Amino acid sequence: SMTLVAWGDKGVPRVVMVVCARGKMARLYTAAIGHNPGMRQPLFQVRDLCKNYGTNTVVDQLSFHIDPGECLGVIGPNGAGKTTTIRMCLGQTTPDQGEILFRHEPAAPALFMPGDALEIKARLGVVTQFDTLDPDFSCAENLLVYGRYFGLAKAEIAPRVPLLLDFAALKAKADAKPGELSGGMRRRLSLARALVNNPQLLLLDEPTTGLDPQARHLMWERLQLLLQQGKSILLTTHFMDEAERLCNRLLVLDHGKKIAEGRPRDLIAQHLEPDVVEVYGNGALALAQDETLRPLATRIEVSGETVFFYTVDARPLLEALTAHPTLRTLHRPANLEDLFLKLTGRQIREDA
């Protein structure tokens, strides 16, 4: 037999392929040679994922990983490839190129999607963009029937149902059908259903879209509890405050490519000035070309009727703006929404 070795990050050799005497090949994306067994292994890993529809590249050489107990957020404009990535991770869409692997224990051999789809899905929980609850079943029945899809015995599922309903703050709605619930209740029921098989990894595709602020905050509280319990989460969202609140790391996608990755506050510090001053009101747009104000900002952007001044120190700018008392100003720190708009642009796209 012959062993092929590739050199990975930081010069660490990795066994990539073993070619046996009979010509059979086995891919062994194993730990590094001489690797310490105590090293932390990712729970879930995507390598060089690609997906094309005709001439349209939807996902382009995408790689990322999720550690145990970590929440990885995926943000990007509509059409950036977020949902297609989730579908490939679930085995619902076949990638044209790349690897998707799951390691349920640090020392266990990796499972590959789609070949090991059943074994991987047994350890996943999924909340899709749109509710897929059965309208003919009560809340308790939805959980019970869903658990049966995983091959769990009724005697095993039954004790979990009241606990999951209590976790979702739906204990009093056990006998109600989904059509009798509010939008927030249905989303929490979907989350409870995703937990019925006690998954290691949750894939949440825009789980709080359409919810009012109270319902969103309750959902965030439940997701934070799951992270504290050691669950891992892959989250796609359009809410930047949600991403900053829940995610340990963020992946920014655009046109199917990863354009940034890191911790939320690190990304903000890396790409943005720390202070933002928004100016709006009648005549605000003229300030974008004001020669006395322009030197006081590192960068100036205009969106609608608002001028955004990005600066390292906002004090001189705020003092200069007192000469325009009819205009309204808002001084705030840079946030993830600023990062999102800087990296992906402010214009609405035709395909969004």
Side-chain angles (χ1 to χ4, degrees), residues 2-302:
M2 177 176 65
T3 301
L4 305 180
V5 178
W7 294 88
D9 295 341
K10 300 180 181 178
V12 178
R14 303 185 71 86
V15 177
V16 176
M17 188 176 292
V18 174
V19 184
C20 302
R22 294 182 181 178
K24 295 182 179 178
M25 292 186 292
R27 284 173 296 184
L28 300 176
Y29 287 98
T30 59
I33 297 171
H35 145 87
N36 179 355
M39 282 180 65
R40 193 176 193 186
Q41 292 277 12
L43 175 70
F44 189 78
Q45 197 163 9
V46 165
R47 293 175 172 150
D48 301 322
L49 210 59
C50 292
K51 183 64 184 176
N52 302 297
Y53 290 106
T55 59
N56 185 27
T57 301
V58 181
V59 178
D60 190 357
Q61 297 289 328
L62 179 62
S63 298
F64 63 85
H65 72 275
I66 304 173
D67 290 326
E70 179 184 42
C71 180
L72 176 68
V74 182
I75 61 175
N78 289 331
K82 302 185 299 297
T83 297
T84 301
T85 298
I86 291 284
R87 289 182 59 84
M88 287 191 285
C89 291
L90 290 171
Q92 296 174 341
T93 297
T94 303
D96 297 324
Q97 177 186 319
E99 299 266 344
I100 300 169
L101 54 94
F102 185 95
R103 189 177 280 103
H104 61 92
E105 292 181 4
L111 302 173
F112 288 83
M113 185 72 81
D116 301 312
L118 289 180
E119 288 184 77
I120 294 175
K121 287 182 178 182
R123 297 172 171 87
L124 299 182
V126 183
V127 177
T128 58
Q129 285 186 30
F130 306 104
D131 290 326
T132 56
L133 301 166
D134 194 312
D136 298 320
F137 293 154
S138 68
C139 292
E141 290 168 341
N142 262 282
L143 301 184
L144 185 62
V145 171
Y146 194 72
R148 298 290 284 155
Y149 291 144
F150 289 94
L152 301 175
K154 183 176 180 180
E156 187 177 359
I157 305 169
R160 299 183 186 182
V161 170
L163 297 175
L164 289 170
L165 290 173
D166 188 41
F167 173 80
L170 292 172
K171 197 170 184 179
K173 299 288 185 178
D175 298 323
K177 294 183 177 179
E180 303 169 38
L181 305 179
S182 67
M185 290 177 178
R186 287 196 299 272
R187 298 307 278 166
R188 296 201 304 276
L189 181 59
S190 294
L191 178 61
R193 189 183 65 171
L195 295 169
V196 76
N197 59 319
N198 191 26
Q200 291 174 273
L201 173 64
L202 285 163
L203 281 73
L204 311 180
D205 195 6
E206 300 181 18
T208 62
T209 297
L211 301 187
D212 61 38
Q214 291 89 343
R216 283 174 61 206
H217 278 264
L218 184 54
M219 185 68 114
W220 292 347
E221 178 190 318
R222 293 303 186 260
L223 294 178
Q224 286 168 334
L225 284 174
L226 292 173
L227 290 170
Q228 291 169 15
Q229 294 168 13
K231 303 290 186 191
S232 299
I233 296 177
L234 176 60
L235 170 75
T236 73
T237 182
H238 284 299
F239 296 114
M240 297 301 106
D241 54 341
E242 179 169 282
E244 189 162 4
R245 181 183 295 258
L246 294 175
C247 300
N248 303 98
R249 289 185 299 116
L250 283 178
L251 198 67
V252 186
L253 295 187
D254 200 14
H255 301 294
K257 292 185 177 182
K258 175 171 66 175
I259 59 174
E261 182 179 9
R263 295 180 177 275
R265 298 312 304 178
D266 291 346
L267 287 173
I268 290 171
Q270 179 183 348
H271 292 278
L272 297 171
E273 301 79 3
D275 281 358
V276 184
V277 177
E278 299 182 22
V279 183
Y280 51 100
N282 189 25
L285 295 183
L287 297 188
Q289 305 301 325
D290 191 309
E291 294 301 327
T292 62
L293 299 179
R294 290 179 65 84
L296 303 178
T298 307
R299 182 165 53 93
I300 300 173
E301 293 188 6
V302 176

